[in-house]
Amino acid sequence: MTTPDNASAEPAPVASQDWAAASRNPQYRAAVVDLLGALAYGELAAFERLAEDAKLAPSLADKAELAKMASAEFHHFERLRDRLSSIGAVPGEAMEPFVSALDGFHRQTAPSDWLEGLVKAYVGDSIASDFYREVATRLDSDTRDLVLGVLDDTGHASFAVEKVRAAIEADSRVGGRLALWARRLMGEALSQSQRVVADRDALSTMLVGGLADGFDLAEVGKMFSRITEAHTKRMAALGLAA
Amino acid sequence: MTTPDNASAEPAPVASQDWAAASRNPQYRAAVVDLLGALAYGELAAFERLAEDAKLAPSLADKAELAKMASAEFHHFERLRDRLSSIGAVPGEAMEPFVSALDGFHRQTAPSDWLEGLVKAYVGDSIASDFYREVATRLDSDTRDLVLGVLDDTGHASFAVEKVRAAIEADSRVGGRLALWARRLMGEALSQSQRVVADRDALSTMLVGGLADGFDLAEVGKMFSRITEAHTKRMAALGLAA
């Protein structure tokens, strides 16, 4: 018979447990509170920025599309916050450690026009979706259901693709400018994520698939690589050499 | 037997008709498209401003409350926009005549701090609710159901009352400042509404309860007075002598 510590050092056992069983491990519990706090503040910050970027819209219909995305992010936030409360965490406290990195990201990447805003909405939505999918496999069944449920409801950014593609077809120089912009978005996202990884041990350890003492930075790097590769492919498909 | 024109000159007949019957009168139809356009853009603009004002929140929980109101306004917008489409109007065109008045209102009343933002959210929510209630009695049954349905879902601003009251109790000078602010909000709302009334004949005529040629400006004035009185009572209850 394995000890609980050994059992939870492997990702498979956690994934086959529900929250009640998995959360008996305090390190796992702390990691999930961190994860939900990071995701919740990510959604709240995304809501604010999309609502802000909606001001750049050239038409009321475009404004409404971005406002719709913002509102969807707010509903994701509500689900994540409610889960934090229901597992006995204080949502504000769980989110706090991630405020500075996420605000920093948005401050560094304020779009200067509508097309930059669209690319940011699309890139942000896609990276979030990749990240949710990566992390879901490492979670207990209840937390996984929540994360996949929120993920199911993303993908609102597809309208952005068509608009960006049309703008590039109309003027190829737009493509060069937006390719640089997309690269800057990804660079800034990686640099803020790495700050978070360095600060939050329990979360980072879980992200690489285990609860062993310490964690393998190379594994975190591999996850970031997979997400970056997917980003690069999407940008190429969009007509932006990333 | 009355002619259709005479029948729809009285408010009661319109209120007892459904949209299919009432919309045979082109003047009534135009008035409803105007009304839904004004309400829809009002909700979209409210979404944007509440999302913007959420930045002033002193805590993440407060920010989430304002974001929740913003998201509710967005869902009202969606219902009004979808109705415009389903009656064969182009939502963007229906909203356009009201963009400048509503943007003007929000530009003139950008809150300078969190408490001003809360008072604005509360005042805006309450005035909107009074106006929806006034106008609902003058509408065909289908449009009335929509307007009352959207109204049913307002009142998210009650959390603001408690916060503002606590701030006034803690420092009575805050009350004087916020009373001035509430008066300015109402003044600006009235001045922008009067611009709209002067510009949009069909809408204004319907608002005063009839579809007669021309309309009685005194009746519009009375509706504004009722809304202003209700505002004054609410402000007094809040500890703000308006």
Side-chain angles (χ1 to χ4, degrees):
Chain A
M1 201 180 150
T2 54
T3 67
D5 269 349
N6 283 344
S8 55
E10 299 293 323
V14 170
S16 65
Q17 288 171 26
D18 63 8
W19 170 250
S23 62
R24 278 187 214 121
N25 180 322
Q27 204 187 353
Y28 179 75
R29 196 184 185 288
V32 168
V33 169
D34 255 19
L35 174 71
L36 297 181
L39 296 182
Y41 191 70
E43 300 286 2
L44 189 57
F47 161 83
E48 274 198 304
R49 303 313 302 209
L50 287 166
E52 171 90 18
D53 297 348
K55 287 184 199 157
L56 301 167
S59 76
L60 291 175
D62 287 328
K63 189 191 284 276
E65 280 292 343
L66 226 53
K68 183 180 172 183
M69 286 185 67
S71 182
E73 309 287 8
F74 178 73
H75 296 304
H76 299 163
F77 160 76
E78 281 184 314
R79 290 165 72 177
L80 295 159
R81 178 200 58 192
D82 293 350
R83 176 59 144 255
L84 280 165
S85 297
S86 77
I87 63 172
V90 179
E93 287 172 14
M95 291 190 276
E96 198 55 52
F98 307 101
V99 167
S100 123
L102 280 154
D103 286 358
F105 171 74
H106 286 297
R107 202 166 40 239
Q108 297 295 328
T109 60
S112 65
D113 64 17
W114 170 241
L115 286 173
E116 287 189 5
L118 283 184
V119 169
K120 184 174 171 183
Y122 176 59
V123 166
D125 204 58
S126 309
I127 294 178
S129 155
D130 287 347
F131 178 74
Y132 279 42
R133 229 182 284 276
E134 285 269 350
V135 84
T137 61
R138 295 166 171 81
L139 296 168
D140 67 275
S141 57
D142 294 313
T143 311
R144 185 171 60 238
D145 287 351
L146 171 69
V147 167
L148 291 178
V150 171
L151 172 64
D152 237 11
D153 187 32
T154 60
H156 296 282
S158 52
F159 89 101
V161 170
E162 170 189 341
K163 303 255 171 191
V164 171
R165 211 171 259 153
I168 296 170
E169 269 165 34
D171 178 358
S172 64
R173 286 165 307 175
V174 167
R177 175 167 74 82
L178 293 180
L180 279 174
W181 170 245
R183 214 176 306 164
R184 204 177 120 208
L185 288 172
M186 195 65 202
E188 195 62 39
L190 287 174
S191 110
Q192 297 291 351
S193 307
Q194 273 152 4
R195 269 183 58 194
V196 169
V197 164
D199 281 357
R200 310 297 298 178
D201 267 12
L203 176 60
S204 308
T205 304
M206 188 190 66
L207 288 182
V208 299
L211 283 161
D213 295 65
F215 65 94
D216 187 348
L217 205 58
E219 273 304 319
V220 178
K222 278 184 205 160
M223 183 180 78
F224 285 157
S225 292
R226 285 191 295 274
I227 292 179
T228 307
E229 271 166 40
H231 164 76
T232 307
K233 277 184 197 150
R234 271 191 304 265
M235 292 302 103
L238 190 53
L240 302 177
Chain B
M1 200 181 147
T2 55
T3 67
D5 269 349
N6 283 344
S8 55
E10 299 294 323
V14 170
S16 66
Q17 287 169 26
D18 63 9
W19 170 250
S23 62
R24 278 185 216 121
N25 180 321
Q27 204 188 352
Y28 179 75
R29 196 185 185 288
V32 169
V33 169
D34 255 20
L35 175 70
L36 298 180
L39 296 182
Y41 190 70
E43 300 285 2
L44 189 57
F47 161 83
E48 274 197 305
R49 302 313 302 209
L50 287 167
E52 171 89 18
D53 297 348
K55 287 184 199 157
L56 301 166
S59 76
L60 291 176
D62 287 327
K63 190 191 283 278
E65 280 292 343
L66 226 54
K68 184 180 171 181
M69 286 185 66
S71 182
E73 308 287 8
F74 178 73
H75 295 305
H76 299 164
F77 160 76
E78 281 184 314
R79 289 165 73 177
L80 294 159
R81 179 200 57 191
D82 292 350
R83 176 60 142 253
L84 279 164
S85 297
S86 78
I87 63 173
V90 179
E93 288 173 14
M95 292 191 274
E96 197 55 52
F98 307 101
V99 167
S100 123
L102 281 154
D103 285 358
F105 171 74
H106 286 297
R107 202 167 38 239
Q108 296 295 328
T109 60
S112 65
D113 65 16
W114 170 241
L115 287 173
E116 288 190 2
L118 283 184
V119 169
K120 182 173 172 183
Y122 176 59
V123 166
D125 204 58
S126 309
I127 294 179
S129 155
D130 288 347
F131 178 73
Y132 279 40
R133 229 182 283 275
E134 284 269 350
V135 85
T137 62
R138 294 165 172 81
L139 296 169
D140 67 275
S141 57
D142 294 314
T143 311
R144 186 169 60 239
D145 287 351
L146 171 69
V147 167
L148 292 177
V150 171
L151 173 64
D152 238 10
D153 188 31
T154 60
H156 296 282
S158 51
F159 90 99
V161 171
E162 169 190 340
K163 302 256 169 188
V164 170
R165 209 171 260 152
I168 296 171
E169 269 165 33
D171 178 356
S172 63
R173 285 166 306 177
V174 168
R177 176 166 73 82
L178 292 180
L180 279 175
W181 170 245
R183 213 176 306 163
R184 205 176 120 210
L185 288 172
M186 195 66 200
E188 195 63 39
L190 287 175
S191 110
Q192 297 291 350
S193 305
Q194 273 150 4
R195 268 183 60 193
V196 169
V197 164
D199 281 357
R200 310 298 297 179
D201 268 11
L203 176 60
S204 308
T205 303
M206 187 189 67
L207 289 183
V208 299
L211 282 161
D213 293 65
F215 66 94
D216 186 351
L217 206 57
E219 272 304 319
V220 178
K222 279 184 204 159
M223 183 180 78
F224 284 156
S225 292
R226 286 191 295 274
I227 292 179
T228 306
E229 271 165 40
H231 166 75
T232 307
K233 278 184 196 153
R234 271 192 304 265
M235 291 304 102
L238 190 54
L240 301 178

